[in-house]
Amino acid sequence: VQLQASGGGLVQAGGSLRLSCAASGRTFSILYMGWFRQAPGKERELVARSNWINSITYYADSVKGRFTISGDNAKNTVNLQMNSLKPEDTAVYYCAAKGDGSIWRYWGQGTLVTVSS
């Protein structure tokens, strides 16, 4: 599985950005797709994930109510709509995918999101 992320950039606090991730290859093996982020000096954290079959979602507490993950199985894409962005959302964002195990096996390249105050 190959993942291609896009959509990062610079935005002012309170603004919005939309990240997109396109999956290709053995996409039939995907059960979950998600978005992680890693800020400078911090560990990578799971921001949101979506079950590819039943669309059940999970959000980190820090983004609940502001971020929305959505997927299009037919197009093998997953998006992350980020609203009301805060400077603390600044990070490199990664899309990832996995099957029914616990390991996120597939990773896209990171895309930088910078939120200015």
Side-chain angles (χ1 to χ4, degrees):
V1 175
Q2 294 79 43
L3 302 176
Q4 180 71 40
S6 61
L10 173 65
V11 65
Q12 288 187 333
S16 298
L17 279 176
R18 183 179 178 87
L19 305 182
S20 295
C21 180
S24 60
R26 297 169 62 89
T27 57
F28 60 84
S29 65
I30 296 173
L31 181 58
Y32 292 94
M33 290 195 75
W35 288 93
F36 288 73
R37 68 185 181 187
Q38 187 166 21
K42 295 187 176 181
E43 293 187 354
R44 189 174 298 187
E45 63 171 343
L46 176 63
V47 174
R49 71 161 186 257
S50 176
N51 184 296
W52 212 231
I53 305 301
N54 58 26
S55 299
I56 292 177
T57 57
Y58 160 86
Y59 296 95
D61 287 344
S62 57
V63 306
K64 279 182 182 176
R66 301 188 298 121
F67 291 12
T68 303
I69 187 170
S70 61
D72 185 333
N73 288 16
K75 296 181 179 179
N76 292 323
T77 59
V78 65
N79 302 308
L80 185 69
Q81 178 66 41
M82 305 184 293
N83 299 327
S84 302
L85 283 161
K86 305 175 181 179
E88 51 263 44
D89 294 318
T90 295
V92 177
Y93 284 71
Y94 300 88
C95 68
K98 69 183 183 88
D100 58 359
S102 61
I103 303 298
W104 290 87
R105 187 178 300 274
Y106 309 107
W107 292 86
Q109 87 287 6
T111 184
L112 178 62
V113 171
T114 304
V115 184
S116 63
S117 58

